[in-house]
Amino acid sequence: MAGYSVPEELSLVFAKYDLSEVVVHDAGLARYMNLQPVGVPHSSARNANKQFGKSKVNLVERLMNNMMRTEDFTGKKITVYNMLNKAFDIVHRRAKSNPVQVLVDALENAGPREEVTRLKFGGISVPKAVDISPSRRLDIALRNIAVGAVKCTYKSAKPIEECLANEIILASKADMNSYAVSKKEEIERVAASAR
């Protein structure tokens, strides 16, 4: 359609944050982080059951989907959408930068580079360190950030928005107080002993 242009508010996540200025520093992960402009991060599972379909889903939507894994938010996409919107506002206020850029930095720091697998040699199971594919690194980092945010809220008066914002900011700084970064270090430490 000639002359058609996308309205600016549809190219901004939550109508506030521009994805065109976000830079992925890790070349391995860049291919799997979809940062295409999207107004509402909801693709209605259009890329499900396709090979490498996850890499076509926007990064913010993938974080939303991972937040819905837990029993508290299962199937509540609008609730998670509003919660993530508030969490991004907190990240923007604290980090003084684009929260999507902070999220990308957090995912780069929270993705483990190697893990342990079990090999069988004549009935004996032997641990062996293997490199992790970039797609799996991103999956693990997203899952650990979501799990860390939910774990932070248990037996605490903190709202989930605050916990998620904390987790993203700490992971972007590669701080060991972040659940995702501490899990990454634990996985890599076990893999180093199994080389």
Side-chain angles (χ1 to χ4, degrees):
M1 298 193 308
Y4 178 76
S5 64
V6 177
E8 187 174 333
E9 61 271 2
L10 291 181
S11 65
L12 304 176
V13 173
F14 302 123
K16 300 176 201 168
Y17 309 113
D18 189 11
L19 293 179
S20 64
E21 60 191 35
V22 176
V23 178
V24 180
H25 302 291
D26 191 331
L29 292 177
R31 181 175 170 188
Y32 299 96
M33 287 190 186
N34 183 353
L35 295 169
Q36 295 294 321
V38 59
V40 178
H42 180 64
S43 63
S44 302
R46 116 178 19 107
N47 295 304
N49 300 326
K50 294 181 185 171
Q51 189 173 21
F52 301 112
K54 288 186 286 190
S55 63
K56 296 179 180 84
V57 178
N58 187 280
L59 193 61
V60 177
E61 183 181 356
R62 288 187 70 185
L63 179 60
M64 287 171 58
N65 292 343
N66 271 285
M67 288 301 296
M68 290 194 303
R69 278 177 183 247
T70 61
E71 61 275 358
D72 298 333
F73 300 110
T74 304
K76 300 178 181 175
K77 192 136 193 181
I78 297 297
T79 305
V80 172
Y81 176 87
N82 293 329
M83 179 262 303
L84 196 61
N85 191 357
K86 291 175 188 170
F88 273 18
D89 288 343
I90 294 169
V91 170
H92 181 68
R93 192 172 58 246
R94 285 193 195 159
K96 305 272 192 277
S97 64
N98 189 338
V100 181
Q101 180 65 57
V102 177
L103 174 64
V104 167
D105 295 341
L107 292 172
E108 289 173 354
N109 291 334
R113 296 184 182 276
E114 65 179 352
E115 65 183 345
V116 173
T117 189
R118 300 257 173 221
L119 299 178
K120 287 222 174 205
F121 291 117
I124 300 171
S125 177
V126 179
K128 176 74 174 152
V130 293
D131 292 337
I132 299 179
S133 71
S135 176
R136 180 160 167 78
R137 277 183 64 202
L138 187 59
D139 291 345
I140 291 171
L142 281 165
R143 183 181 330 127
N144 284 339
I145 284 177
V147 167
V150 172
K151 278 191 175 197
C152 171
T153 61
Y154 286 133
K155 297 184 180 176
S156 169
K158 274 187 176 180
I160 185 74
E161 301 89 10
E162 186 79 27
C163 290
L164 180 60
N166 254 357
E167 184 67 30
I168 291 172
I169 291 170
L170 288 174
S172 71
K173 296 176 182 173
D175 191 338
M176 283 300 290
N177 292 328
S178 163
Y179 176 83
V181 173
S182 63
K183 287 296 277 186
K184 170 202 171 186
E185 294 296 329
E186 179 186 330
I187 290 169
E188 288 183 344
R189 183 172 34 80
V190 171
S193 66
R195 280 191 194 138

